[in-house]
């Protein structure tokens, strides 16, 4: 606790939701054999979240597309985690982030924490990890820089993301489809990075996922 500055607890700090999702391929040369190659985030405050919910209920695709354009960021490449961490450090001033995912306690949280713990020496001092909370093989939560935390929606819902979209009658924001086997084959052939940088299919899927 002694390394956490008083400003980390500023009552005037803004709270924002960072809904995040990784896309990965299998790579036996990396830790855990999962290599991330794309990561999308949707950054919303309470008002923007209400606006998006209302737009989806009204099937207002124009408003949904506008929110996606202004509030979604997709980090592409095998260094997408490093890109995301730099974004956090740049945008965390006077802000607390809640990193929200679907089944991230079993997947995305591990990738993000691993990237944070493996930062290069020049960046490591800008990151503090505390309050790691796990249960068995699940990484339920951890605290970044004294104020950012994770939240797994799947812990409160049953079934897949696609089925939950149907159950909750999600319209414009529903999960889309993507051929993950094709991505694996492109990685094997050294073509994946070129594909994701020159094709909006993966970007759209990742942002809706």
């Amino acid at each position: 606790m002694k390394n956490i500055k008083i400003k980390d607890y500023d009552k005037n700090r803004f709270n924002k939701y960072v809904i995040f999702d990784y896309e990965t391929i299998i790579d036996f040369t990396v830790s855990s054999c999962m290599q991330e190659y794309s990561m999308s985030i949707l950054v919303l405050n309470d008002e923007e979240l209400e606006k998006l919910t209302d737009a989806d209920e009204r099937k207002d695709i124009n408003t949904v597309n506008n929110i996606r354009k202004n509030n979604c960021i997709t980090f592409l490449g095998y260094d997408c985690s490093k890109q995301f961490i730099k974004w956090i450090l740049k945008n965390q001033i006077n802000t607390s982030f809640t990193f929200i995912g679907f089944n991230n306690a079993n997947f995305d949280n591990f990738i993000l924490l691993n990237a944070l713990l493996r930062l290069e020496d020049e960046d490591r001092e800008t990151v503090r990890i505390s309050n790691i909370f796990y249960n068995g093989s699940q990484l339920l939560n951890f605290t970044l820089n004294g104020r950012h935390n994770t939240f797994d929606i799947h812990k409160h819902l049953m079934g897949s993301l696609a089925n939950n979209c149907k159950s909750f009658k999600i319209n414009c924001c529903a999960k889309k489809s993507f051929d993950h086997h094709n991505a694996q084959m492109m990685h094997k052939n050294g073509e994946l990075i070129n594909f994701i940088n020159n094709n909006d299919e993966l970007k759209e899927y990742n942002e809706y996922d």
Side-chain angles (χ1 to χ4, degrees), residues 7-77:
K7 67 179 182 179
D8 288 343
Y9 299 97
D10 186 353
K11 293 181 179 179
N12 296 318
R13 200 166 53 225
F14 296 102
N15 296 306
K16 291 187 177 182
Y17 307 105
V18 179
I19 302 165
F20 77 109
D21 179 69
Y22 276 108
E23 299 304 327
T24 64
I25 44 83
I26 297 173
D27 187 336
F28 294 110
T29 67
V30 300
S31 175
S32 79
C33 299
M34 303 302 294
Q35 172 65 63
E36 66 269 32
Y37 65 89
S38 176
M39 181 192 198
S40 288
I41 62 173
L42 172 63
V43 186
L44 302 170
N45 58 29
D46 289 308
E47 182 180 342
E48 291 165 333
L49 183 58
E50 269 310 309
K51 183 177 180 181
L52 179 61
T53 301
D54 178 67
D56 185 78
E57 290 177 350
R58 293 186 289 105
K59 299 182 181 180
D60 182 357
I61 188 63
N62 290 328
T63 297
V64 170
N65 285 337
N66 190 52
I67 292 174
R68 179 188 169 206
K69 178 181 178 180
N70 294 322
N71 298 74
C72 270
I73 303 172
T74 297
F75 305 101
L76 297 171

Side-chain angles (χ1 to χ4, degrees), residues 36 45 51 57 70 72 83 86 99 103 106 124-125 127 135 145 150 173 178 194 204:
E36 66 269 32
N45 58 29
K51 183 177 180 181
E57 290 177 350
N70 294 322
C72 270
Q83 295 178 50
K86 288 182 178 180
F99 304 120
N103 198 34
N106 290 308
R124 191 170 295 130
E125 291 185 3
V127 167
N135 179 27
N145 288 353
T150 71
C173 299
F178 181 73
N194 182 62
E204 180 185 58

Side-chain angles (χ1 to χ4, degrees), residues 111-156:
I111 299 173
L112 178 56
L113 181 59
N114 182 62
L116 288 164
L117 295 174
R118 293 179 179 274
L119 283 176
E120 296 176 0
D121 291 339
E122 59 265 29
D123 297 320
R124 191 170 295 130
E125 291 185 3
T126 64
V127 167
R128 300 187 306 276
I129 304 297
S130 59
N131 303 325
I132 296 177
F133 179 34
Y134 61 92
N135 179 27
S137 62
Q138 296 183 321
L139 178 55
L140 300 175
N141 193 13
F142 60 87
T143 301
L144 171 60
N145 288 353
R147 60 188 184 277
H148 313 306
N149 291 279
T150 71
F151 182 83
D152 187 354
I153 295 177
H154 188 253
K155 300 300 295 181
H156 305 271

